[in-house]
Amino acid sequence: QVQLVESGGGLVQPGGSLRLSCTASRIISRFYTMGWYRQAPGKQREVVATMTSDGSTNYADFVKGRFTISRDHAGTTVYLQMRSLEPDDTAVYYCHIAGELRGGTAFWGQGTQVTVSS
């Protein structure tokens, strides 16, 4: 089974930066998308950013150019560099991987807390 290990969350002031990391222990296919989702209490989980196996990226509108997703394909590691953080960014951030081929499997990390507060 694939295990996702996340790190990098914490408490940061508005306008500050954090870098989240997620490493997959193993992936069954070389064709997979890695990404970050977030969920605040009482709200639905929402996508933040994704990167496909060929390097294509997508960002949620609320990112507003503040975040950058990157990926170490060899190490099956995905990063989320966040800057200009706002209080509304406060949430649990979850790493996610999903196979891109038909029948591919998806996995979630345990989540890492990001709190943006003065």
Side-chain angles (χ1 to χ4, degrees), residues 2-38:
V2 176
Q3 304 291 328
L4 301 179
V5 180
E6 300 158 315
S7 63
L11 175 64
V12 65
Q13 296 182 24
S17 299
L18 285 173
R19 182 178 173 87
L20 307 182
S21 301
C22 172
T23 299
S25 62
R26 190 181 65 87
I27 189 70
I28 191 65
S29 172
R30 64 185 298 177
F31 304 106
Y32 60 93
T33 294
M34 301 190 75
W36 291 94
Y37 294 69
R38 71 185 190 184

Side-chain angles (χ1 to χ4, degrees), residues 58-72:
N58 282 284
Y59 296 92
D61 288 342
F62 62 75
V63 168
K64 297 177 292 185
R66 301 174 298 134
F67 302 168
T68 301
I69 188 170
S70 59
R71 186 172 176 178
D72 177 358

